[in-house]
Amino acid sequence: RDTINIYLQDSEFIGYARTEEEFDESMKRAEDFARGIMDINKESERRVRILTFPLSTRNIYKEGNSKRNKRSKEILRLLKEAGVERVYLGIESGSPTQLKRYGKGVTIEEHAKAVEILRKIGFVIEPGFIFFDSEATLEELKQNIEFIEQTELTETPSRLSGSLRIQAGSHFEKKFLENGFITESDFDLNNLCYVVDKSKYKDQTVAEIETVFT
């Protein structure tokens, strides 16, 4: 049978659920998607395979919410059965203070648990990781390394030493323009983001380390 490989480009396919109703709707959407793929594969001579499926830790595991956690595991197993092979997981950081700065709304422990759940079901994890930003400290870099080692993310195909992209219209654009980290002339039209001058990093040792990595 011929195979059609699909990469989902939605940054968070299921979507962020602020209420139980939104969570139920998001899970139903993912369930309908999985069952639809399974129906296609039963009826068609061409098999559909989902290579990358974007997810958020908030929709995989939430500390203290056993009902949500049980439902999300059911949907994840169904997605695996439907042919999803890899999950793109926006972890972004293994440092509590960096996660707070990025406004992720999750804890380090929840990220680690999400990685564990996805691996047990059989997904290949493709993590999104923002190792550096202009406010990062050496302690935060150490925390990132400890988290990467703890969760064995070094075995993933993703680049883990990425830097924060400041995109137009984002929370960070306003914040960084106000504090002088960037100016309007720093905007790179080709990459649709701002280029941060390393001399403006709060910790110059972090800036030097980032230069070595990049």
Side-chain angles (χ1 to χ4, degrees):
R1 294 172 69 184
D2 292 337
T3 301
I4 302 171
N5 295 325
I6 295 177
Y7 297 83
L8 293 179
Q9 296 301 311
D10 191 325
S11 61
E12 193 175 317
F13 182 82
I14 291 180
Y16 174 41
R18 296 170 180 80
T19 65
E20 292 303 314
E21 183 179 2
E22 286 183 356
F23 176 79
D24 291 340
E25 289 175 356
S26 294
M27 290 296 113
K28 182 64 167 59
R29 177 185 181 220
E31 180 178 1
D32 290 344
F33 174 82
R35 295 195 185 282
I37 296 296
M38 291 165 75
D39 288 342
I40 290 171
N41 286 336
K42 285 178 185 176
E43 299 168 5
S44 174
E45 293 182 0
R46 306 183 74 184
R47 178 176 177 268
V48 175
R49 181 174 61 175
I50 313 300
L51 292 183
T52 305
F53 190 93
L55 275 173
S56 166
T57 292
R58 293 173 295 197
N59 284 319
I60 299 172
Y61 180 81
K62 185 66 179 174
E63 187 70 42
N65 196 325
S66 58
K67 181 183 175 183
R68 275 198 184 196
N69 296 339
K70 181 181 177 182
R71 175 64 170 155
S72 66
K73 281 184 183 178
E74 290 174 355
I75 298 304
L76 288 170
R77 291 191 184 102
L78 190 65
L79 287 166
K80 180 64 180 173
E81 186 181 348
V84 176
E85 297 191 356
R86 293 201 303 261
V87 168
Y88 177 82
L89 185 64
I91 294 174
E92 316 312 0
S93 174
S95 164
T97 46
Q98 257 186 330
L99 283 179
K100 184 176 181 181
R101 192 156 63 245
Y102 299 159
K104 287 296 291 182
V106 296
T107 65
I108 301 302
E109 293 75 20
E110 287 169 337
H111 272 321
K113 188 66 177 178
V115 169
E116 178 188 329
I117 290 168
L118 291 171
R119 283 204 176 117
K120 281 184 177 179
I121 293 173
F123 292 109
V124 174
I125 301 170
E126 193 176 312
F129 213 92
I130 305 172
F131 201 93
F132 298 101
D133 68 80
S134 56
E135 296 179 284
T137 64
L138 283 174
E139 180 59 30
E140 289 174 337
L141 300 192
K142 290 176 184 177
Q143 289 169 344
N144 278 328
I145 292 170
E146 288 170 0
F147 179 82
I148 289 168
E149 290 179 338
Q150 173 199 344
T151 54
E152 299 180 347
L153 289 179
T154 49
E155 298 183 11
T156 67
S158 296
R159 178 170 173 261
L160 299 172
S161 58
S163 304
L164 179 68
R165 283 172 55 90
I166 305 171
Q167 296 171 310
S170 68
H171 159 73
F172 285 101
E173 178 190 36
K174 181 180 178 182
K175 176 184 175 182
F176 280 37
L177 283 170
E178 288 176 351
N179 64 25
F181 275 128
I182 57 173
T183 64
E184 291 184 1
S185 63
D186 293 323
F187 190 73
D188 180 353
L189 189 59
N190 290 325
N191 293 303
L192 298 178
C193 66
Y194 289 85
V195 178
V196 181
D197 186 339
K198 296 283 177 63
S199 67
K200 295 182 180 179
Y201 270 48
K202 283 189 174 180
D203 189 321
Q204 281 305 296
T205 304
V206 171
E208 290 171 16
I209 294 170
E210 183 185 12
T211 299
V212 171
F213 269 82
T214 55

